[in-house]
Amino acid sequence: MSKNSHGPEGSDDGTVAGARLRVEKARERLGDSVGELAAKADVKGRTQEKAAEVRDQVVEAGQQVRDQVKEHTPERVRDAGVKAAVTGKEVATKAAGTGRAHPRPLLLAGGVAVVALAVARARRRARKS
């Protein structure tokens, strides 16, 4: 075998030590290649990383839009929006309480809706045949 120089470790001759050094270097290169191929083959992982990046971009853009809207919306309009939200919540809470206190009208309306859907479905089937 001829004497070759392989990198900063020194000479790599035909001895057993030289062969071990060559084998170790080949293993390192092979390990690096396998690692690179595994990273390329991990489609699910790459997709999840990309989804996380896009999600972060969307969140950031949403925050910027929210800040711009807040900055350009007059205070009286913001106050009206808050008042409307509070009023809507109060109405919904009151309606839910009324439904619990007097369930018969709600049950009757639900029954009528079910019957109407059944009749409409029967008519459609009759037309198709």
Side-chain angles (χ1 to χ4, degrees):
M1 292 191 155
S2 66
K3 293 186 177 185
N4 296 325
S5 177
H6 288 279
E9 283 87 14
S11 66
D12 193 6
D13 56 21
T15 65
V16 173
R20 287 184 179 150
L21 183 61
R22 286 192 306 272
V23 168
E24 186 61 34
K25 287 179 183 178
R27 284 181 182 163
E28 287 177 14
R29 287 192 306 269
L30 182 60
D32 292 343
S33 298
V34 168
E36 291 171 8
L37 288 173
K40 287 181 180 179
D42 186 17
V43 175
K44 182 179 178 182
R46 290 191 343 226
T47 302
Q48 289 174 341
E49 288 175 10
K50 184 65 176 176
E53 289 176 20
V54 170
R55 182 182 61 240
D56 292 343
Q57 291 173 354
V58 168
V59 167
E60 184 177 330
Q63 290 172 345
Q64 289 176 355
V65 168
R66 185 190 69 219
D67 292 344
Q68 288 177 355
V69 168
K70 190 174 184 179
E71 182 180 315
H72 292 98
T73 302
E75 190 173 330
R76 63 184 174 171
V77 174
R78 279 186 274 161
D79 291 343
V82 170
K83 185 178 178 183
V86 169
T87 303
K89 186 174 181 180
E90 289 171 355
V91 168
T93 302
K94 186 176 179 181
T98 302
R100 286 187 197 106
H102 306 288
R104 283 188 184 149
L106 187 59
L107 291 173
L108 181 63
V112 169
V114 169
V115 170
L117 287 172
V119 168
R121 194 172 196 186
R123 286 184 180 177
R124 263 193 251 140
R125 284 185 180 172
R127 285 186 208 153
K128 287 183 180 179
S129 36

